[in-house]
Coordinates of all heavy atoms in Angstrom, one line a residue:
M9 N 93.8 77.7 127.1 CA 94.4 78.8 126.3 C 93.7 80.1 126.9 O 92.6 80.2 127.0 CB 94.1 78.7 124.9 CG 94.7 79.6 124.0 SD 94.5 79.3 122.3 CE 94.4 77.6 122.0
T10 N 94.6 81.2 127.2 CA 94.1 82.5 127.7 C 93.8 83.4 126.6 O 94.5 83.2 125.4 CB 95.2 83.0 128.6 OG1 96.3 83.4 127.9 CG2 95.6 82.1 129.7
E11 N 93.0 84.4 126.8 CA 92.9 85.4 125.7 C 94.1 86.1 125.3 O 94.1 86.3 124.1 CB 91.8 86.4 126.4 CG 91.4 87.5 125.4 CD 90.4 88.4 125.9 OE1 89.9 88.2 126.9 OE2 90.3 89.5 125.2
A12 N 95.1 86.3 126.1 CA 96.3 86.9 125.7 C 97.2 86.0 124.8 O 98.0 86.5 124.1 CB 97.1 87.3 127.0
A13 N 97.0 84.7 124.8 CA 97.8 83.8 124.1 C 97.5 83.8 122.6 O 98.4 83.7 121.7 CB 97.5 82.3 124.6
I14 N 96.3 84.1 122.2 CA 95.9 84.1 120.8 C 94.7 84.9 120.5 O 93.8 85.0 121.3 CB 95.6 82.5 120.2 CG1 95.6 82.5 118.7 CG2 94.4 82.0 120.9 CD1 95.5 81.1 118.2
S15 N 94.7 85.5 119.3 CA 93.5 86.3 118.8 C 93.3 85.8 117.5 O 94.1 85.8 116.6 CB 93.9 87.8 118.9 OG 94.1 88.3 120.1
I16 N 91.9 85.6 117.2 CA 91.5 85.2 116.0 C 90.9 86.6 115.3 O 90.0 87.2 115.9 CB 90.3 84.2 115.9 CG1 90.7 82.9 116.7 CG2 89.8 84.0 114.6 CD1 91.9 82.2 116.1
L17 N 91.5 87.1 114.3 CA 91.2 88.3 113.7 C 90.6 88.1 112.4 O 91.2 87.7 111.4 CB 92.5 89.2 113.5 CG 93.3 89.4 114.8 CD1 94.7 90.0 114.4 CD2 92.6 90.1 115.8
P18 N 89.2 88.5 112.3 CA 88.5 88.3 111.1 C 88.9 89.3 110.0 O 89.4 90.3 110.4 CB 87.1 88.4 111.4 CG 87.0 89.2 112.7 CD 88.4 88.9 113.4
E19 N 88.7 88.9 108.8 CA 89.1 89.9 107.6 C 88.2 91.2 107.7 O 86.9 91.0 107.8 CB 88.9 89.3 106.3 CG 89.0 90.1 105.2 CD 90.4 90.1 104.6 OE1 91.2 89.0 104.8 OE2 90.8 90.9 103.7
P20 N 88.8 92.4 107.9 CA 88.0 93.7 107.9 C 87.3 93.8 106.6 O 87.8 93.3 105.5 CB 89.0 94.7 108.2 CG 90.3 94.0 108.7 CD 90.2 92.6 108.2
A21 N 86.2 94.2 106.5 CA 85.3 94.4 105.3 C 85.8 95.4 104.4 O 85.9 95.2 103.1 CB 83.8 94.7 105.6
D22 N 86.3 96.5 104.7 CA 86.6 97.7 103.9 C 88.2 97.9 103.8 O 88.8 97.9 104.7 CB 86.0 98.9 104.5 CG 84.5 98.9 104.5 OD1 83.9 98.3 103.6 OD2 83.9 99.5 105.4
W23 N 88.5 98.2 102.5 CA 89.8 98.7 102.2 C 89.8 100.3 102.4 O 88.9 100.9 102.0 CB 90.2 98.5 100.7 CG 90.7 97.1 100.5 CD1 89.8 96.1 99.8 CD2 91.8 96.4 100.8 NE1 90.5 94.9 99.8 CE2 91.7 95.1 100.3 CE3 93.0 96.9 101.2 CZ2 92.8 94.2 100.4 CZ3 94.1 96.0 101.4 CH2 93.9 94.6 101.0
L24 N 90.7 100.8 103.1 CA 90.9 102.2 103.4 C 92.0 102.9 102.5 O 93.1 102.3 102.7 CB 91.1 102.4 104.9 CG 90.1 101.9 105.8 CD1 90.5 101.9 107.3 CD2 88.7 102.4 105.7
P25 N 91.8 104.0 101.9 CA 93.0 104.5 101.2 C 93.9 105.1 102.2 O 93.6 105.6 103.3 CB 92.3 105.7 100.4 CG 91.0 106.1 101.2 CD 90.5 104.8 101.9
L26 N 95.3 105.0 101.9 CA 96.3 105.5 102.6 C 96.4 107.0 102.3 O 96.8 107.3 101.3 CB 97.6 104.9 102.4 CG 98.8 105.3 103.2 CD1 98.6 105.1 104.7 CD2 100.1 104.7 102.8
A27 N 95.9 107.8 103.2 CA 95.7 109.3 103.0 C 96.7 110.1 103.7 O 96.6 110.8 104.5 CB 94.3 109.8 103.5
L28 N 98.0 109.8 103.3 CA 99.1 110.5 103.8 C 99.8 111.3 102.6 O 99.9 110.8 101.5 CB 100.1 109.6 104.4 CG 99.8 108.8 105.6 CD1 100.9 107.8 106.0 CD2 99.5 109.8 106.8
P29 N 100.4 112.6 102.9 CA 101.2 113.2 101.9 C 102.3 112.3 101.3 O 102.9 111.7 102.1 CB 101.7 114.4 102.6 CG 100.8 114.6 103.8 CD 100.4 113.2 104.2
G30 N 102.3 112.3 99.9 CA 103.3 111.4 99.3 C 102.9 109.9 99.0 O 103.7 109.3 98.4
S31 N 101.8 109.6 99.4 CA 101.2 108.2 99.1 C 100.4 108.3 97.8 O 99.7 109.3 97.6 CB 100.5 107.6 100.3 OG 99.3 108.3 100.5
R32 N 100.3 107.2 97.1 CA 99.5 107.1 96.0 C 99.2 105.6 95.7 O 100.1 104.8 95.8 CB 100.0 107.7 94.7 CG 101.2 107.1 94.0 CD 101.6 107.7 92.7 NE 102.8 107.0 92.3 CZ 104.0 107.5 92.3 NH1 104.2 108.7 93.0 NH2 105.0 106.8 91.9
N33 N 98.0 105.3 95.4 CA 97.5 104.0 95.0 C 97.8 102.9 96.1 O 98.3 101.8 95.7 CB 98.1 103.6 93.7 CG 97.5 104.6 92.4 OD1 96.5 105.0 92.6 ND2 98.4 104.6 91.5
V34 N 97.7 103.2 97.3 CA 97.9 102.3 98.4 C 96.7 102.2 99.4 O 96.1 103.3 99.7 CB 99.1 102.6 99.2 CG1 99.2 101.6 100.5 CG2 100.3 102.6 98.5
D35 N 96.2 101.0 99.5 CA 95.0 100.8 100.4 C 95.3 99.8 101.5 O 96.4 99.1 101.3 CB 93.8 100.3 99.7 CG 93.3 101.1 98.6 OD1 93.1 102.4 98.8 OD2 93.1 100.6 97.4
F36 N 94.6 99.9 102.7 CA 94.9 99.0 103.7 C 93.7 98.6 104.5 O 92.6 99.2 104.3 CB 96.0 99.5 104.6 CG 95.6 100.9 105.4 CD1 95.0 100.8 106.7 CD2 95.5 102.0 104.8 CE1 94.7 101.8 107.4 CE2 95.0 103.1 105.5 CZ 94.6 103.1 106.8
K37 N 93.9 97.5 105.2 CA 92.8 97.0 106.2 C 93.4 96.9 107.5 O 94.6 96.2 107.6 CB 92.3 95.6 105.7 CG 91.5 95.7 104.4 CD 90.8 94.2 104.2 CE 89.9 94.3 103.0 NZ 89.2 93.0 102.7
V38 N 92.9 97.4 108.6 CA 93.3 97.2 109.9 C 92.6 96.1 110.6 O 91.6 96.1 110.8 CB 93.1 98.5 110.7 CG1 93.7 98.3 112.1 CG2 93.8 99.7 110.0
Y39 N 93.4 95.0 111.0 CA 93.0 93.9 111.7 C 92.9 94.2 113.3 O 92.0 93.9 113.9 CB 93.9 92.7 111.5 CG 93.7 92.0 110.2 CD1 94.2 92.7 109.1 CD2 93.0 90.9 110.0 CE1 94.0 92.0 107.7 CE2 92.7 90.3 108.7 CZ 93.3 90.9 107.6 OH 93.1 90.4 106.4
K40 N 93.9 94.9 113.8 CA 94.1 95.2 115.1 C 95.1 96.2 115.5 O 96.2 96.3 114.8 CB 94.4 93.9 115.9 CG 94.6 94.1 117.4 CD 94.8 92.8 118.1 CE 94.8 93.0 119.7 NZ 94.4 91.8 120.4
A41 N 94.7 97.3 116.3 CA 95.7 98.2 116.7 C 95.7 98.2 118.2 O 94.7 98.2 118.9 CB 95.2 99.7 116.3
D42 N 96.9 98.1 118.8 CA 97.1 98.0 120.3 C 98.0 99.0 120.8 O 99.2 98.9 120.6 CB 97.6 96.5 120.6 CG 97.7 96.3 122.1 OD1 97.8 97.2 122.8 OD2 97.6 95.1 122.4
E43 N 97.5 100.1 121.2 CA 98.4 101.2 121.6 C 99.2 101.0 122.9 O 100.4 101.3 122.9 CB 97.5 102.5 122.0 CG 96.9 103.2 120.7 CD 96.2 104.5 121.1 OE1 96.9 105.4 121.6 OE2 95.1 104.6 120.8
A44 N 98.8 100.1 123.7 CA 99.5 99.8 124.8 C 100.7 98.9 124.6 O 101.8 99.1 125.1 CB 98.7 98.9 125.9
R45 N 100.6 98.1 123.5 CA 101.8 97.3 123.0 C 102.5 98.0 121.9 O 103.5 97.3 121.3 CB 101.4 95.9 122.6 CG 100.9 95.1 123.9 CD 100.7 93.7 123.5 NE 100.4 92.9 124.8 CZ 99.4 92.2 124.8 NH1 98.5 92.0 123.9 NH2 99.2 91.5 125.9
N46 N 102.1 99.1 121.3 CA 102.6 99.8 120.2 C 102.7 98.8 119.0 O 103.8 98.8 118.3 CB 104.0 100.4 120.5 CG 104.4 101.4 119.6 OD1 103.7 102.0 118.9 ND2 105.8 101.5 119.3
T47 N 101.5 98.2 118.6 CA 101.5 97.3 117.5 C 100.3 97.5 116.7 O 99.2 97.8 117.2 CB 101.5 95.7 117.9 OG1 100.4 95.5 118.7 CG2 102.8 95.4 118.7
V48 N 100.4 97.2 115.4 CA 99.3 97.2 114.5 C 99.4 96.1 113.5 O 100.5 95.8 113.1 CB 99.3 98.5 113.6 CG1 98.2 98.6 112.6 CG2 99.2 99.7 114.6
V49 N 98.3 95.3 113.4 CA 98.3 94.3 112.4 C 97.4 94.8 111.2 O 96.3 95.1 111.4 CB 97.7 93.0 112.9 CG1 97.6 91.9 111.9 CG2 98.5 92.5 114.2
L50 N 98.0 94.8 110.0 CA 97.2 95.3 108.8 C 97.7 94.5 107.5 O 98.6 93.9 107.5 CB 97.5 96.9 108.7 CG 98.9 97.4 108.5 CD1 99.2 97.3 106.9 CD2 98.9 98.8 109.0
K51 N 96.8 94.8 106.6 CA 97.1 94.2 105.2 C 97.2 95.4 104.3 O 96.3 96.3 104.3 CB 95.9 93.4 104.8 CG 96.2 92.6 103.4 CD 95.0 91.9 102.9 CE 94.7 90.7 103.6 NZ 93.6 89.9 103.0
A52 N 98.2 95.5 103.5 CA 98.2 96.6 102.5 C 98.1 96.1 101.1 O 98.6 95.0 100.8 CB 99.5 97.3 102.7
R53 N 97.6 97.0 100.3 CA 97.5 96.6 98.9 C 97.9 97.8 98.0 O 97.5 99.0 98.2 CB 95.9 96.4 98.6 CG 95.6 96.2 97.1 CD 94.2 95.9 96.9 NE 93.3 97.1 97.2 CZ 91.9 97.0 97.2 NH1 91.3 95.9 96.9 NH2 91.2 98.1 97.4
F54 N 98.9 97.5 97.1 CA 99.6 98.5 96.2 C 98.9 98.3 94.9 O 99.0 97.4 94.3 CB 101.0 98.3 96.1 CG 101.8 98.7 97.3 CD1 102.0 98.0 98.4 CD2 102.6 99.8 97.3 CE1 102.6 98.3 99.6 CE2 103.3 100.3 98.4 CZ 103.3 99.5 99.6
G55 N 98.5 99.4 94.4 CA 97.9 99.5 93.0 C 99.2 99.8 92.1 O 100.3 99.8 92.5
K56 N 98.8 99.9 90.7 CA 99.9 100.2 89.7 C 100.6 101.5 90.2 O 100.0 102.4 90.4 CB 99.4 100.3 88.3 CG 100.4 100.4 87.3 CD 99.8 100.4 86.0 CE 100.9 100.5 84.9 NZ 100.3 100.5 83.5
N57 N 101.9 101.4 90.2 CA 102.8 102.6 90.5 C 102.3 103.2 91.9 O 102.6 104.3 92.2 CB 102.6 103.8 89.5 CG 103.2 103.3 88.1 OD1 104.2 102.7 88.0 ND2 102.4 103.6 87.1
G58 N 102.0 102.1 92.8 CA 101.6 102.6 94.2 C 102.9 103.0 94.9 O 104.1 102.5 94.8
R59 N 102.7 103.8 95.9 CA 103.8 104.3 96.7 C 103.4 104.8 98.1 O 102.4 105.6 98.2 CB 104.6 105.5 96.0 CG 105.7 106.0 96.7 CD 106.3 107.3 95.9 NE 107.2 108.0 96.5 CZ 108.6 107.9 96.4 NH1 109.0 107.1 95.6 NH2 109.3 108.6 97.1
M60 N 104.2 104.4 99.1 CA 104.0 105.1 100.5 C 104.9 106.1 100.6 O 106.1 106.1 99.9 CB 104.2 104.0 101.5 CG 103.1 102.9 101.7 SD 103.5 101.8 103.1 CE 102.0 100.9 103.1
P61 N 104.8 107.2 101.5 CA 105.8 108.1 101.7 C 106.9 107.6 102.5 O 106.8 106.6 103.1 CB 104.9 109.2 102.6 CG 103.9 108.4 103.2 CD 103.5 107.3 102.3
R62 N 108.1 108.2 102.4 CA 109.2 107.9 103.1 C 108.8 107.8 104.6 O 108.3 108.8 105.1 CB 110.4 108.8 102.9 CG 111.7 108.3 103.7 CD 112.9 109.0 103.3 NE 113.3 108.7 102.0 CZ 113.9 107.5 101.8 NH1 114.2 106.5 102.6 NH2 114.3 107.1 100.5
H63 N 109.2 106.8 105.3 CA 108.8 106.8 106.8 C 109.8 105.7 107.5 O 110.6 105.0 106.9 CB 107.4 106.3 107.0 CG 107.2 104.9 106.5 ND1 106.9 104.5 105.1 CD2 107.0 103.6 107.2 CE1 106.7 103.2 105.0 NE2 106.8 102.7 106.2
S64 N 109.7 105.7 108.8 CA 110.5 104.8 109.6 C 109.5 104.3 110.7 O 108.5 105.0 110.9 CB 111.6 105.4 110.3 OG 111.4 106.5 111.1
H65 N 109.8 103.2 111.4 CA 109.0 102.7 112.4 C 109.5 102.8 113.7 O 110.7 102.8 113.9 CB 108.7 101.1 112.1 CG 108.1 100.9 110.8 ND1 106.7 100.9 110.7 CD2 108.6 100.6 109.6 CE1 106.4 100.5 109.4 NE2 107.5 100.5 108.7
H66 N 108.7 102.9 114.7 CA 109.1 103.0 116.2 C 109.0 101.5 116.8 O 109.1 101.4 118.0 CB 108.3 104.0 116.9 CG 108.5 105.4 116.3 ND1 109.7 106.2 116.7 CD2 107.7 106.0 115.5 CE1 109.4 107.2 116.0 NE2 108.3 107.2 115.3
C67 N 108.8 100.5 116.0 CA 108.6 99.1 116.4 C 109.1 98.3 115.2 O 109.4 98.8 114.2 CB 107.2 98.8 116.7 SG 106.1 99.1 115.3
Y68 N 109.3 97.0 115.4 CA 109.6 96.0 114.3 C 108.5 96.0 113.4 O 107.2 96.0 113.9 CB 110.0 94.7 114.8 CG 111.3 94.8 115.8 CD1 111.2 94.8 117.2 CD2 112.6 94.8 115.1 CE1 112.2 94.9 118.0 CE2 113.7 94.8 116.0 CZ 113.5 95.0 117.3 OH 114.6 95.0 118.2
A69 N 108.6 95.8 112.1 CA 107.7 95.5 111.1 C 108.0 94.3 110.4 O 109.2 94.1 110.0 CB 107.5 96.7 110.2
I70 N 107.0 93.4 110.2 CA 107.2 92.2 109.4 C 106.2 92.2 108.3 O 105.0 92.4 108.6 CB 107.0 90.9 110.4 CG1 108.0 91.0 111.5 CG2 107.1 89.6 109.6 CD1 107.6 90.0 112.6
V71 N 106.6 92.1 107.1 CA 105.7 92.2 105.9 C 105.9 90.9 105.1 O 106.9 90.5 104.8 CB 106.1 93.4 105.0 CG1 105.2 93.5 103.8 CG2 106.2 94.7 105.9
Y72 N 104.7 90.3 104.9 CA 104.6 89.0 104.2 C 103.9 89.4 102.9 O 102.9 90.0 102.9 CB 103.8 87.9 104.8 CG 103.5 86.7 104.1 CD1 104.7 85.8 103.9 CD2 102.5 86.5 103.5 CE1 104.5 84.7 103.2 CE2 102.2 85.3 102.6 CZ 103.3 84.4 102.5 OH 103.2 83.3 101.7
T73 N 104.6 89.0 101.7 CA 103.9 89.3 100.4 C 103.0 88.2 99.9 O 103.5 87.0 99.7 CB 105.2 89.5 99.4 OG1 106.0 90.5 99.9 CG2 104.5 89.9 98.0
I74 N 101.8 88.4 99.8 CA 100.8 87.4 99.4 C 100.9 87.3 97.9 O 101.0 86.1 97.4 CB 99.3 87.8 99.7 CG1 99.2 87.9 101.3 CG2 98.4 86.8 99.2 CD1 98.0 88.5 101.7
S75 N 100.9 88.3 97.1 CA 101.0 88.2 95.6 C 101.5 89.4 95.1 O 101.6 90.5 95.9 CB 99.6 87.9 95.0 OG 98.7 89.1 95.3
G76 N 101.9 89.5 93.9 CA 102.5 90.7 93.2 C 103.9 91.0 93.6 O 104.6 90.1 94.2
H77 N 104.4 92.1 93.2 CA 105.8 92.4 93.5 C 105.8 93.9 94.0 O 105.0 94.7 93.5 CB 106.7 92.3 92.2 CG 106.9 90.9 91.9 ND1 106.0 90.1 91.1 CD2 107.9 90.0 92.2 CE1 106.5 88.9 90.9 NE2 107.7 88.9 91.6
W78 N 106.8 94.1 94.9 CA 107.0 95.5 95.4 C 108.4 95.7 95.8 O 109.1 94.7 95.8 CB 105.9 95.8 96.6 CG 106.3 94.9 97.8 CD1 105.9 93.7 98.0 CD2 106.9 95.3 99.0 NE1 106.2 93.2 99.2 CE2 106.9 94.2 99.9 CE3 107.6 96.4 99.5 CZ2 107.5 94.3 101.1 CZ3 108.1 96.5 100.7 CH2 108.0 95.4 101.5
D79 N 108.8 96.9 96.0 CA 110.2 97.3 96.3 C 110.3 98.2 97.3 O 109.3 99.0 97.6 CB 110.9 98.0 95.0 CG 110.8 97.0 93.8 OD1 111.8 96.0 93.9 OD2 110.1 97.2 92.9
Y80 N 111.5 98.3 98.0 CA 111.9 99.4 98.7 C 113.4 99.6 98.7 O 114.0 98.8 97.9 CB 111.3 99.7 100.1 CG 111.5 98.6 101.1 CD1 112.6 97.9 101.3 CD2 110.5 98.5 102.1 CE1 112.8 97.2 102.4 CE2 110.6 97.7 103.1 CZ 111.7 96.9 103.2 OH 112.0 96.1 104.3
D81 N 113.9 100.5 99.4 CA 115.4 100.7 99.4 C 116.3 99.6 99.3 O 117.3 99.5 98.7 CB 115.8 101.8 100.4 CG 115.0 103.0 100.5 OD1 114.3 103.3 99.5 OD2 115.0 103.8 101.5
E82 N 116.0 98.6 100.1 CA 116.8 97.4 100.3 C 116.6 96.4 99.3 O 117.4 95.3 99.2 CB 116.6 96.9 101.8 CG 117.1 97.6 102.8 CD 116.2 98.8 103.3 OE1 115.2 98.9 102.7 OE2 116.7 99.5 104.2
G83 N 115.7 96.4 98.4 CA 115.5 95.4 97.4 C 114.0 95.2 97.1 O 113.2 95.9 97.5
G84 N 113.8 94.1 96.3 CA 112.4 93.8 95.8 C 111.9 92.5 96.5 O 112.6 91.7 96.9
F85 N 110.5 92.4 96.4 CA 110.0 91.3 97.2 C 108.9 90.7 96.2 O 108.2 91.5 95.5 CB 109.2 91.7 98.4 CG 110.3 92.3 99.3 CD1 110.6 93.7 99.3 CD2 110.9 91.5 100.2 CE1 111.6 94.1 100.2 CE2 111.8 92.0 101.1 CZ 112.2 93.3 101.1
G86 N 108.6 89.4 96.3 CA 107.6 88.8 95.4 C 106.8 87.8 96.4 O 107.0 87.8 97.5
P87 N 105.9 87.1 95.8 CA 105.0 86.2 96.6 C 105.8 85.3 97.4 O 106.9 84.6 96.9 CB 104.3 85.4 95.4 CG 104.3 86.2 94.3 CD 105.6 87.0 94.3
G88 N 105.4 85.2 98.8 CA 106.1 84.3 99.7 C 107.3 84.9 100.4 O 107.7 84.4 101.4
C89 N 107.7 86.2 99.9 CA 108.9 86.8 100.6 C 108.3 87.5 101.8 O 107.3 88.1 102.0 CB 109.5 87.8 99.6 SG 110.3 87.2 98.2
V90 N 109.3 87.6 102.8 CA 109.2 88.3 104.1 C 110.2 89.4 104.2 O 111.3 89.2 104.0 CB 109.1 87.3 105.3 CG1 109.1 88.1 106.6 CG2 108.0 86.2 105.1
A91 N 109.7 90.6 104.5 CA 110.6 91.7 104.9 C 110.4 92.0 106.4 O 109.4 92.0 106.9 CB 110.2 93.1 104.1
Y92 N 111.7 91.9 107.0 CA 111.8 92.2 108.4 C 112.4 93.5 108.7 O 113.6 93.7 108.3 CB 112.6 91.1 109.1 CG 112.6 91.2 110.7 CD1 111.5 90.8 111.4 CD2 113.7 91.8 111.3 CE1 111.6 90.9 112.8 CE2 113.9 91.9 112.6 CZ 112.8 91.5 113.4 OH 112.8 91.7 114.8
E93 N 111.7 94.5 109.1 CA 112.2 95.8 109.3 C 112.5 96.1 110.7 O 111.8 96.0 111.6 CB 111.2 96.9 108.8 CG 110.9 96.6 107.4 CD 109.7 97.5 107.0 OE1 109.1 98.3 107.7 OE2 109.0 97.4 105.8
E94 N 113.8 96.5 111.0 CA 114.3 96.9 112.2 C 113.8 98.2 112.6 O 113.3 99.0 111.9 CB 115.8 97.1 112.3 CG 116.6 95.8 112.0 CD 116.6 94.8 113.1 OE1 116.3 95.2 114.3 OE2 116.8 93.5 113.0
I95 N 113.7 98.5 114.0 CA 113.2 99.8 114.5 C 114.1 100.9 114.0 O 115.3 100.7 113.8 CB 113.3 99.8 116.1 CG1 112.3 98.7 116.6 CG2 113.1 101.2 116.6 CD1 112.6 98.5 118.2
G96 N 113.4 101.9 113.4 CA 114.2 103.0 112.9 C 114.6 103.0 111.5 O 115.1 103.9 110.9
N97 N 114.3 101.7 110.7 CA 114.6 101.7 109.3 C 113.9 102.6 108.5 O 112.6 102.7 108.7 CB 114.3 100.2 108.9 CG 114.5 99.9 107.5 OD1 113.7 100.4 106.7 ND2 115.6 99.3 107.1
D98 N 114.5 103.4 107.8 CA 113.9 104.5 106.9 C 113.8 103.9 105.5 O 114.8 103.5 104.9 CB 114.9 105.7 107.1 CG 114.3 106.9 106.3 OD1 113.4 107.5 106.8 OD2 114.8 107.1 105.1
H99 N 112.5 103.9 104.9 CA 112.4 103.4 103.6 C 111.2 104.0 102.9 O 110.4 104.7 103.6 CB 112.2 102.0 103.8 CG 111.2 101.4 104.7 ND1 111.4 101.4 106.1 CD2 109.9 101.1 104.5 CE1 110.3 101.1 106.6 NE2 109.3 100.9 105.8
V100 N 111.0 103.7 101.6 CA 109.9 104.1 100.8 C 109.4 102.9 100.0 O 110.0 102.5 99.0 CB 110.3 105.2 99.7 CG1 109.2 105.6 98.9 CG2 110.9 106.4 100.5
P101 N 108.3 102.2 100.6 CA 107.7 101.1 99.8 C 107.0 101.5 98.5 O 106.4 102.6 98.5 CB 106.7 100.4 100.8 CG 107.1 101.0 102.1 CD 107.8 102.4 101.8
S102 N 107.2 100.7 97.4 CA 106.6 101.1 96.2 C 106.3 99.9 95.3 O 107.0 98.8 95.5 CB 107.4 102.1 95.4 OG 108.6 101.5 95.0
S103 N 105.4 99.9 94.3 CA 105.0 98.9 93.4 C 105.4 99.3 92.1 O 105.5 100.3 91.6 CB 103.7 98.4 93.6 OG 102.8 99.5 93.2

């Protein structure tokens, strides 16, 4: 197995607040950021009435819901649900 084939990413220790205008009660952990591949692997946590600002992605985004419920323009998600976001999808995630 080569290094490029798989990466074991340990759980980052600290939750970081999402400090963007329009966000509230959202924290995240960054597992890996790869500028060359334009990818980020992260875990997000929404508090009560949490909200991210309206945004779109310049890459595909895959979101797996571990627990709780959250919504965005296209519908709601619960434990075990996966959201697959196309490039350019414009949305506002919230809890």
Side-chain angles (χ1 to χ4, degrees):
M9 189 177 324
T10 67
E11 183 178 343
I14 191 169
S15 294
I16 305 300
L17 305 173
E19 174 98 13
D22 297 326
W23 285 100
L24 305 171
L26 182 62
L28 293 173
S31 67
R32 70 173 177 262
N33 297 334
V34 178
D35 301 309
F36 65 98
K37 291 183 177 190
V38 177
Y39 285 77
K40 183 174 183 151
D42 186 335
E43 287 188 61
R45 292 190 173 126
N46 197 28
T47 60
V48 177
V49 178
L50 61 86
K51 182 190 289 187
R53 173 176 69 183
F54 285 76
K56 185 176 181 178
N57 298 315
R59 178 184 172 98
M60 288 185 175
R62 179 166 293 282
H63 65 279
S64 61
H65 299 272
H66 300 281
C67 60
Y68 296 99
I70 302 167
V71 181
Y72 176 78
T73 306
I74 297 170
S75 65
H77 290 83
W78 63 282
D79 297 284
Y80 62 32
D81 307 345
E82 287 81 0
F85 301 87
C89 290
V90 175
Y92 182 83
E93 302 170 3
E94 296 284 341
I95 294 171
N97 176 283
D98 183 73
H99 55 278
V100 179
S102 63
S103 62

